[in-house]
Amino acid sequence: MNKSIRRHFIAALAASAALVSGLPALAADAWPSRPITLLVNGGPGSLPDLFARPLADRLGTTLGQSVVVDNKPGAGGMVALQQLKQAPADGHTLAVVTNAHMVWNPYVFAQLPYNPATDFQAVSPISVIPMALVVNPQLPAKTLPELIALAKKEPGKLNYASSSPGSPPHVLFEMLRGQMGVDIVHVPFKTGTQALTSVVASNVQIYFAGTSLVEPMVKDGRLRVLAVSPHVNVPAFANAPTLKSLGYPGYENAVWLGLIAKTGTPDHVVQRLNDEVAKALQDPAMQQAMLGHGALPYHASATDFVQRISDERQTWGPALKKMGLPTN
């Protein structure tokens, strides 16, 4: 091989080596490279599902890959979050969660198969969920003071539903129950839809749930609303007093919905997801879907979302410890 040919050959090898060495970086940037799974702690029609599906549709369009909602209800979110923990940290498996999963669960469950502070990466908040205290219309109580009087007259006879132990309907009603000084029995279900169905059927009398979930039943008279928190500018709840006005503050902005990934997900993927959620929340159709049920679109940077979760752990931890809720 003469010197000229040898020089060209060596140059070609060097160029090939450079190209090959750059492939991993290119592959890492080519996200998403396959369909994304969006885990939801709740069955079809549950409150998280109501927001996950339009978000999945929007993200699928903007990301150029299908976003498939995978309903994993039960065990206070442990089923869904255990699956996320076991997935690769590549941004192709995500989860829609509430602050119950990221803040409350360590104080509610004696044992968790995951650590929300170290196993998961907060990506973006999605919505603040106003809560409504509703009862079956067959219950004679038409106001919150009347409900308290009835519960004190017949301690242990009334019961309330929740979507699972540790869920917002469980934790928040336990807090409210303690403030009211009444004995009302907790009846947990596997999903919010099951809990709602039971209250509508009058098998359980009381439900403290997201306005988005109960709004259709309040609207058509199958449920009676006693209070909301905060005020909701939707016809079904427009005349309902707030818990704060009735002497029970602290429930304003108490429940949020957000998107998380597994810890170790590349920063550029987290940022892209955060940006796309922001765009989705500006979509008029998605805004209308939220506002029509009383939910409030809510976005922040991933950094600010991480900070909010950290701050809430400091705030809620002592209160939850005092309530003594561990369930396993």
Side-chain angles (χ1 to χ4, degrees):
M1 183 181 297
N2 62 41
K3 291 183 179 180
S4 176
I5 295 175
R6 187 184 308 148
R7 282 197 303 270
H8 286 297
F9 180 71
I10 293 173
L13 284 177
S16 298
L19 180 62
V20 171
S21 65
L23 284 177
L26 290 172
D29 289 336
W31 177 91
S33 59
R34 62 180 186 275
I36 295 170
T37 297
L38 184 58
L39 300 168
V40 175
N41 172 45
S46 63
L47 190 148
D49 186 74
L50 291 175
F51 297 97
R53 291 187 181 276
L55 179 64
D57 289 343
R58 174 74 184 185
L59 292 178
T61 299
T62 58
L63 294 175
Q65 286 282 356
S66 298
V67 179
V68 181
V69 172
D70 188 2
N71 296 96
K72 296 289 183 181
M78 282 189 269
V79 176
L81 294 185
Q82 178 72 353
Q83 183 170 332
L84 177 58
K85 179 182 176 180
Q86 294 171 346
D90 59 6
H92 289 93
T93 303
L94 309 169
V96 171
V97 296
T98 69
N99 42 321
H101 309 117
M102 296 297 286
V103 179
W104 301 345
N105 276 3
Y107 304 99
V108 175
F109 296 97
Q111 295 181 342
L112 281 177
Y114 61 87
N115 184 336
T118 58
D119 290 333
F120 306 124
Q121 166 67 52
V123 173
S124 174
I126 299 169
S127 177
V128 170
I129 309 295
M131 300 294 284
L133 181 62
V134 298
V135 298
N136 184 282
Q138 294 183 28
L139 197 70
K142 291 181 171 59
T143 65
L144 183 57
E146 289 180 4
L147 176 65
I148 295 171
L150 183 62
K152 288 185 174 181
K153 181 181 178 181
E154 302 176 318
K157 185 174 180 179
L158 298 180
N159 47 44
Y160 76 94
S162 83
S163 50
S164 67
S167 63
H170 175 212
V171 171
L172 294 180
F173 191 83
E174 277 298 308
M175 185 173 290
L176 181 62
R177 186 186 66 78
Q179 293 173 339
M180 296 187 299
V182 295
D183 180 11
I184 300 177
V185 179
H186 177 217
V187 181
F189 290 84
K190 188 176 181 180
T191 69
T193 306
Q194 291 174 353
L196 179 63
T197 300
S198 183
V199 178
V200 170
S202 195
N203 297 320
V204 181
Q205 293 93 26
I206 305 164
Y207 197 18
F208 193 22
T211 53
S212 303
L213 184 64
V214 301
E215 187 262 349
M217 289 72 184
V218 172
K219 188 176 180 180
D220 66 17
R222 285 180 286 170
L223 292 175
R224 176 188 299 136
V225 59
L226 303 185
V228 295
S229 186
H231 174 72
V232 181
N233 191 25
V234 171
F237 305 105
N239 296 321
T242 65
L243 284 172
K244 185 176 182 179
S245 72
L246 295 171
Y248 302 98
Y251 298 88
E252 303 79 22
N253 303 323
V255 180
W256 48 256
L257 207 66
L259 185 69
I260 65 170
K262 184 176 178 177
T263 294
T265 298
D267 291 343
H268 73 276
V269 173
V270 172
Q271 185 60 56
R272 175 78 187 280
L273 281 165
N274 185 278
D275 291 344
E276 295 301 340
V277 171
K279 293 175 185 176
L281 294 178
Q282 294 171 3
D283 180 75
M286 189 159 183
Q287 286 187 351
Q288 185 56 43
M290 289 186 174
L291 296 173
H293 293 301
L296 309 173
Y298 165 41
H299 181 260
S301 69
T303 300
D304 288 345
F305 191 27
V306 169
Q307 187 61 53
R308 172 168 183 162
I309 292 170
S310 177
D311 292 343
E312 287 193 3
R313 288 180 182 132
Q314 298 298 318
T315 302
W316 280 94
L320 292 170
K321 286 179 181 178
K322 186 177 180 180
M323 291 166 65
L325 289 177
T327 60
N328 62 5

Coordinates of all heavy atoms in Angstrom, one line a residue, residues 34-106:
R34 N -39.8 5.0 21.2 CA -40.9 4.0 21.1 C -42.1 4.5 21.9 O -42.0 5.6 22.6 CB -40.4 2.7 21.7 CG -40.0 2.7 23.2 CD -39.5 1.4 23.7 NE -39.3 1.4 25.1 CZ -38.2 1.7 25.7 NH1 -37.2 2.2 24.9 NH2 -38.0 1.7 27.0
P35 N -43.2 3.8 21.9 CA -44.4 4.3 22.6 C -44.1 4.5 24.1 O -43.3 3.8 24.7 CB -45.5 3.2 22.4 CG -45.1 2.7 21.1 CD -43.6 2.7 21.0
I36 N -44.8 5.5 24.7 CA -44.6 5.8 26.2 C -45.8 5.2 26.9 O -46.9 5.3 26.5 CB -44.5 7.3 26.4 CG1 -43.3 7.9 25.7 CG2 -44.6 7.7 27.8 CD1 -43.2 9.4 25.6
T37 N -45.5 4.6 28.1 CA -46.5 4.1 29.0 C -46.8 5.1 30.1 O -45.9 5.6 30.7 CB -46.1 2.8 29.6 OG1 -45.9 1.8 28.6 CG2 -47.2 2.3 30.6
L38 N -48.1 5.5 30.2 CA -48.4 6.5 31.3 C -49.3 5.7 32.3 O -50.4 5.4 32.1 CB -49.2 7.6 30.7 CG -49.7 8.7 31.6 CD1 -48.4 9.4 32.3 CD2 -50.5 9.8 30.9
L39 N -48.6 5.4 33.5 CA -49.3 4.7 34.5 C -50.2 5.6 35.3 O -49.9 6.7 35.6 CB -48.2 4.1 35.5 CG -47.2 3.2 34.9 CD1 -46.1 2.9 35.8 CD2 -47.9 1.9 34.5
V40 N -51.4 5.0 35.6 CA -52.4 5.8 36.3 C -52.9 5.0 37.5 O -53.4 3.9 37.3 CB -53.6 6.2 35.4 CG1 -54.7 6.9 36.2 CG2 -53.1 7.0 34.3
N41 N -52.8 5.5 38.7 CA -53.3 4.9 39.9 C -54.8 5.1 40.0 O -55.3 6.0 40.7 CB -52.6 5.4 41.2 CG -53.3 4.8 42.4 OD1 -53.6 3.6 42.5 ND2 -53.6 5.7 43.4
G42 N -55.6 4.4 39.3 CA -57.0 4.5 39.2 C -57.6 3.8 38.0 O -56.9 3.7 37.0
G43 N -58.8 3.4 38.1 CA -59.4 2.7 37.0 C -59.9 3.7 35.9 O -59.9 4.9 36.2
P44 N -60.4 3.2 34.8 CA -61.0 4.1 33.8 C -62.2 4.9 34.4 O -63.0 4.4 35.2 CB -61.6 3.1 32.8 CG -60.7 1.9 32.9 CD -60.4 1.8 34.4
G45 N -62.2 6.2 34.2 CA -63.2 7.1 34.8 C -62.8 7.6 36.1 O -63.6 8.5 36.6
S46 N -61.7 7.2 36.7 CA -61.3 7.7 38.0 C -60.8 9.1 37.8 O -60.5 9.6 36.7 CB -60.2 6.9 38.6 OG -59.1 6.8 37.8
L47 N -60.6 9.9 38.9 CA -60.1 11.2 38.8 C -58.8 11.4 38.1 O -58.7 12.2 37.1 CB -60.1 11.9 40.2 CG -59.9 13.4 40.2 CD1 -60.6 14.0 41.4 CD2 -58.4 13.8 40.2
P48 N -57.8 10.6 38.4 CA -56.5 10.7 37.7 C -56.7 10.3 36.2 O -56.1 11.0 35.3 CB -55.6 9.7 38.4 CG -56.1 9.5 39.8 CD -57.6 9.7 39.6
D49 N -57.5 9.4 35.9 CA -57.8 8.9 34.6 C -58.4 10.0 33.7 O -58.1 10.2 32.5 CB -58.7 7.7 34.6 CG -58.8 7.1 33.2 OD1 -57.9 6.4 32.7 OD2 -59.9 7.2 32.6
L50 N -59.3 10.8 34.4 CA -59.9 11.9 33.6 C -59.0 12.9 33.1 O -59.2 13.6 32.0 CB -60.9 12.7 34.6 CG -62.2 11.9 35.0 CD1 -63.0 12.7 36.0 CD2 -63.0 11.5 33.8
F51 N -57.8 13.1 33.7 CA -56.8 14.0 33.3 C -55.7 13.4 32.5 O -55.1 14.0 31.6 CB -56.2 14.8 34.5 CG -57.2 15.6 35.2 CD1 -57.8 15.1 36.3 CD2 -57.5 16.9 34.7 CE1 -58.8 15.9 37.0 CE2 -58.5 17.6 35.4 CZ -59.1 17.2 36.5
A52 N -55.4 12.1 32.8 CA -54.4 11.4 32.1 C -54.7 11.2 30.6 O -53.8 11.3 29.8 CB -54.1 10.1 32.8
R53 N -55.9 10.9 30.3 CA -56.2 10.5 28.9 C -56.1 11.7 28.0 O -55.5 11.6 26.9 CB -57.6 9.9 28.8 CG -57.5 8.5 29.5 CD -58.8 7.7 29.3 NE -58.6 6.4 30.0 CZ -58.0 5.3 29.4 NH1 -57.5 5.4 28.2 NH2 -57.8 4.2 30.1
P54 N -56.7 12.9 28.3 CA -56.5 14.0 27.4 C -55.0 14.4 27.3 O -54.5 14.9 26.3 CB -57.4 15.1 27.9 CG -57.7 14.7 29.3 CD -57.7 13.2 29.3
L55 N -54.3 14.3 28.4 CA -52.9 14.7 28.4 C -52.1 13.7 27.6 O -51.2 14.1 26.8 CB -52.3 14.6 29.9 CG -50.8 14.9 30.0 CD1 -50.5 16.4 29.5 CD2 -50.3 14.7 31.4
A56 N -52.4 12.4 27.6 CA -51.8 11.4 26.8 C -52.0 11.7 25.3 O -51.1 11.5 24.5 CB -52.2 10.0 27.2
D57 N -53.2 12.0 25.0 CA -53.5 12.3 23.6 C -52.7 13.5 23.1 O -52.1 13.5 22.0 CB -55.0 12.6 23.4 CG -55.9 11.4 23.6 OD1 -55.3 10.3 23.5 OD2 -57.1 11.6 23.8
R58 N -52.6 14.5 23.9 CA -51.9 15.7 23.5 C -50.4 15.4 23.4 O -49.7 15.9 22.4 CB -52.1 16.8 24.6 CG -51.3 18.1 24.4 CD -51.8 18.9 23.3 NE -51.0 20.1 23.0 CZ -51.2 21.1 22.2 NH1 -52.3 21.0 21.4 NH2 -50.4 22.1 22.1
L59 N -49.8 14.7 24.4 CA -48.4 14.4 24.4 C -48.1 13.5 23.2 O -47.0 13.6 22.5 CB -48.0 13.7 25.7 CG -48.0 14.6 26.9 CD1 -47.6 13.8 28.1 CD2 -47.1 15.8 26.8
G60 N -48.9 12.6 22.9 CA -48.7 11.7 21.8 C -48.6 12.4 20.5 O -47.8 12.1 19.6
T61 N -49.4 13.5 20.3 CA -49.3 14.3 19.1 C -48.0 15.1 19.0 O -47.4 15.1 18.0 CB -50.5 15.3 19.1 OG1 -51.8 14.5 19.0 CG2 -50.5 16.1 17.8
T62 N -47.7 15.7 20.1 CA -46.5 16.6 20.1 C -45.2 15.9 20.1 O -44.2 16.3 19.6 CB -46.5 17.6 21.2 OG1 -46.6 16.9 22.5 CG2 -47.7 18.5 21.1
L63 N -45.2 14.7 20.7 CA -43.9 13.9 20.8 C -43.7 13.0 19.6 O -42.6 12.4 19.4 CB -43.9 13.1 22.1 CG -43.8 13.9 23.4 CD1 -44.0 13.0 24.6 CD2 -42.5 14.7 23.5
G64 N -44.8 12.7 18.9 CA -44.6 11.8 17.7 C -44.6 10.4 18.0 O -44.2 9.5 17.2
Q65 N -45.0 10.0 19.2 CA -45.1 8.6 19.6 C -46.4 8.4 20.4 O -46.8 9.3 21.1 CB -43.9 8.2 20.5 CG -42.6 8.0 19.8 CD -42.5 6.7 19.0 OE1 -43.4 5.8 19.1 NE2 -41.4 6.5 18.3
S66 N -47.0 7.2 20.4 CA -48.2 7.0 21.1 C -47.9 7.0 22.6 O -46.8 6.6 23.1 CB -48.7 5.6 20.8 OG -49.1 5.5 19.5
V67 N -48.8 7.6 23.4 CA -48.7 7.6 24.9 C -49.9 6.8 25.4 O -51.1 7.2 25.2 CB -48.7 9.0 25.4 CG1 -48.7 9.0 27.0 CG2 -47.6 9.8 24.9
V68 N -49.6 5.6 25.9 CA -50.6 4.6 26.2 C -50.9 4.7 27.7 O -50.0 4.5 28.6 CB -50.2 3.2 25.9 CG1 -51.3 2.2 26.2 CG2 -49.8 3.2 24.4
V69 N -52.2 5.0 28.1 CA -52.6 5.0 29.5 C -52.7 3.6 30.0 O -53.4 2.7 29.4 CB -53.9 5.8 29.7 CG1 -54.4 5.6 31.1 CG2 -53.7 7.2 29.3
D70 N -52.1 3.3 31.1 CA -52.1 1.9 31.7 C -52.7 2.1 33.1 O -52.0 2.5 34.0 CB -50.7 1.3 31.7 CG -50.7 -0.1 32.2 OD1 -51.8 -0.7 32.4 OD2 -49.6 -0.7 32.3
N71 N -53.9 1.7 33.3 CA -54.6 1.8 34.6 C -54.1 0.8 35.6 O -54.2 -0.4 35.3 CB -56.1 1.8 34.4 CG -56.6 2.9 33.6 OD1 -56.9 2.7 32.4 ND2 -56.9 4.0 34.2
K72 N -53.6 1.2 36.7 CA -53.1 0.3 37.7 C -53.6 0.7 39.1 O -52.9 1.3 39.9 CB -51.5 0.3 37.8 CG -50.9 -0.2 36.5 CD -51.0 -1.7 36.4 CE -50.3 -2.2 35.1 NZ -50.5 -3.7 35.0
P73 N -54.9 0.5 39.4 CA -55.5 1.0 40.6 C -55.1 0.1 41.8 O -54.6 -1.1 41.6 CB -57.0 0.9 40.3 CG -57.1 -0.2 39.3 CD -55.9 -0.2 38.5
G74 N -55.3 0.6 43.0 CA -55.2 -0.2 44.2 C -53.9 0.1 45.0 O -52.9 0.6 44.5
A75 N -54.0 -0.3 46.3 CA -52.9 -0.3 47.3 C -52.3 1.1 47.4 O -51.1 1.3 47.6 CB -51.9 -1.3 46.9
G76 N -53.2 2.1 47.3 CA -52.7 3.5 47.6 C -51.6 3.9 46.6 O -50.8 4.8 46.9
G77 N -51.7 3.4 45.4 CA -50.7 3.8 44.4 C -49.5 2.9 44.3 O -48.7 3.1 43.4
M78 N -49.4 1.9 45.2 CA -48.2 1.1 45.2 C -48.1 0.2 44.0 O -46.9 0.0 43.5 CB -48.2 0.2 46.5 CG -47.8 1.0 47.7 SD -47.6 -0.1 49.2 CE -49.2 0.0 49.9
V79 N -49.2 -0.2 43.4 CA -49.1 -1.1 42.2 C -48.5 -0.3 41.1 O -47.5 -0.8 40.4 CB -50.5 -1.6 41.8 CG1 -50.4 -2.4 40.5 CG2 -51.1 -2.4 43.0
A80 N -49.0 0.9 40.8 CA -48.5 1.7 39.7 C -47.0 2.2 40.0 O -46.2 2.1 39.1 CB -49.4 3.0 39.5
L81 N -46.7 2.6 41.2 CA -45.4 3.1 41.4 C -44.3 2.0 41.5 O -43.2 2.3 41.2 CB -45.4 4.0 42.7 CG -46.3 5.3 42.5 CD1 -46.2 6.1 43.7 CD2 -45.9 6.0 41.3
Q82 N -44.7 0.9 41.9 CA -43.8 -0.2 41.9 C -43.4 -0.6 40.5 O -42.2 -0.9 40.2 CB -44.4 -1.5 42.6 CG -43.5 -2.7 42.6 CD -42.3 -2.6 43.5 OE1 -42.1 -1.6 44.1 NE2 -41.6 -3.7 43.7
Q83 N -44.3 -0.5 39.6 CA -44.0 -0.7 38.1 C -43.1 0.4 37.6 O -42.2 0.1 36.8 CB -45.3 -0.8 37.3 CG -45.1 -1.1 35.8 CD -46.4 -1.4 35.1 OE1 -47.4 -1.9 35.7 NE2 -46.4 -1.1 33.8
L84 N -43.3 1.6 38.0 CA -42.5 2.7 37.5 C -41.1 2.5 38.1 O -40.1 2.7 37.4 CB -43.0 4.0 38.0 CG -42.2 5.3 37.7 CD1 -41.9 5.4 36.1 CD2 -42.8 6.5 38.2
K85 N -41.0 2.1 39.3 CA -39.6 1.9 40.0 C -38.8 0.8 39.2 O -37.6 0.9 39.1 CB -39.8 1.5 41.4 CG -38.5 1.2 42.2 CD -38.8 0.8 43.6 CE -37.4 0.4 44.3 NZ -37.6 0.0 45.7
Q86 N -39.5 -0.2 38.7 CA -38.9 -1.3 38.0 C -38.6 -1.0 36.6 O -37.8 -1.8 35.9 CB -39.7 -2.6 38.2 CG -39.9 -3.1 39.6 CD -40.9 -4.2 39.7 OE1 -41.7 -4.4 38.8 NE2 -40.9 -4.9 40.9
A87 N -39.1 0.1 36.0 CA -38.9 0.4 34.6 C -37.6 1.1 34.4 O -37.0 1.6 35.3 CB -40.0 1.3 34.1
P88 N -37.0 1.0 33.2 CA -35.8 1.7 32.9 C -36.0 3.2 33.1 O -37.1 3.8 32.8 CB -35.5 1.4 31.4 CG -36.3 0.2 31.2 CD -37.5 0.2 32.0
A89 N -34.9 3.9 33.5 CA -35.0 5.4 33.7 C -34.7 6.1 32.4 O -33.7 6.8 32.2 CB -34.0 5.8 34.7
D90 N -35.6 5.9 31.4 CA -35.3 6.4 30.0 C -36.5 7.3 29.5 O -36.5 7.8 28.4 CB -35.1 5.3 29.0 CG -36.2 4.3 28.9 OD1 -37.3 4.6 29.5 OD2 -36.1 3.3 28.2
G91 N -37.4 7.6 30.4 CA -38.5 8.5 30.0 C -39.6 7.8 29.2 O -40.5 8.5 28.7
H92 N -39.6 6.5 29.0 CA -40.6 5.8 28.3 C -41.7 5.2 29.2 O -42.7 4.6 28.7 CB -40.0 4.7 27.4 CG -39.2 5.3 26.2 ND1 -37.9 5.5 26.3 CD2 -39.6 5.7 25.0 CE1 -37.5 6.0 25.1 NE2 -38.5 6.1 24.3
T93 N -41.5 5.3 30.5 CA -42.5 5.0 31.5 C -42.7 6.1 32.4 O -41.7 6.5 33.0 CB -42.2 3.7 32.2 OG1 -41.9 2.6 31.3 CG2 -43.3 3.3 33.2
L94 N -43.9 6.6 32.5 CA -44.2 7.8 33.4 C -45.4 7.4 34.2 O -46.0 6.4 34.1 CB -44.5 9.0 32.5 CG -43.5 9.4 31.4 CD1 -44.1 10.4 30.5 CD2 -42.2 9.8 32.0
A95 N -45.7 8.3 35.2 CA -46.9 8.1 36.0 C -47.6 9.4 36.4 O -46.9 10.4 36.6 CB -46.5 7.3 37.3
V96 N -48.9 9.4 36.4 CA -49.7 10.5 36.9 C -50.0 10.2 38.4 O -50.5 9.1 38.7 CB -51.0 10.7 36.1 CG1 -51.9 11.7 36.8 CG2 -50.7 11.1 34.7
V97 N -49.6 11.1 39.3 CA -49.7 10.9 40.7 C -50.4 12.1 41.3 O -50.5 13.2 40.7 CB -48.3 10.7 41.3 CG1 -47.7 9.4 40.8 CG2 -47.4 11.9 41.1
T98 N -50.8 12.0 42.6 CA -51.2 13.1 43.4 C -50.2 13.3 44.5 O -49.2 12.5 44.7 CB -52.6 12.8 44.1 OG1 -52.5 11.8 45.0 CG2 -53.6 12.4 43.0
N99 N -50.4 14.3 45.3 CA -49.5 14.5 46.5 C -49.6 13.4 47.5 O -48.7 13.2 48.3 CB -49.7 15.8 47.1 CG -51.1 16.2 47.3 OD1 -51.9 15.9 46.4 ND2 -51.5 16.8 48.4
A100 N -50.7 12.6 47.4 CA -50.8 11.4 48.3 C -49.6 10.5 48.1 O -49.0 9.9 49.0 CB -52.1 10.7 48.1
H101 N -49.2 10.3 46.8 CA -48.2 9.3 46.5 C -46.8 9.9 46.8 O -45.9 9.1 47.2 CB -48.3 9.0 45.0 CG -49.6 8.5 44.5 ND1 -50.4 9.2 43.6 CD2 -50.4 7.5 44.9 CE1 -51.5 8.7 43.4 NE2 -51.6 7.6 44.2
M102 N -46.6 11.1 46.5 CA -45.3 11.7 46.7 C -45.0 12.4 48.0 O -43.8 12.6 48.4 CB -45.1 12.8 45.6 CG -45.1 12.3 44.2 SD -43.7 11.1 43.8 CE -42.4 12.2 43.7
V103 N -46.1 12.6 48.8 CA -45.9 13.3 50.1 C -46.4 12.5 51.2 O -45.7 12.3 52.2 CB -46.6 14.7 50.1 CG1 -46.4 15.4 51.4 CG2 -46.0 15.6 48.9
W104 N -47.7 12.0 51.1 CA -48.4 11.5 52.3 C -48.0 10.0 52.6 O -48.0 9.6 53.7 CB -49.9 11.6 52.1 CG -50.4 13.0 52.0 CD1 -49.7 14.1 52.2 CD2 -51.7 13.3 51.5 NE1 -50.5 15.2 52.0 CE2 -51.7 14.8 51.5 CE3 -52.8 12.6 51.1 CZ2 -52.9 15.5 51.1 CZ3 -53.9 13.3 50.7 CH2 -54.0 14.7 50.7
N105 N -47.9 9.2 51.5 CA -47.8 7.7 51.7 C -46.8 7.3 52.7 O -47.0 6.3 53.4 CB -47.6 7.0 50.3 CG -48.9 6.8 49.6 OD1 -50.0 7.2 50.1 ND2 -48.9 6.2 48.5
P106 N -45.6 7.9 52.8 CA -44.6 7.4 53.8 C -45.1 7.5 55.2 O -44.7 6.8 56.1 CB -43.4 8.3 53.6 CG -43.5 8.7 52.1 CD -45.0 8.9 51.9

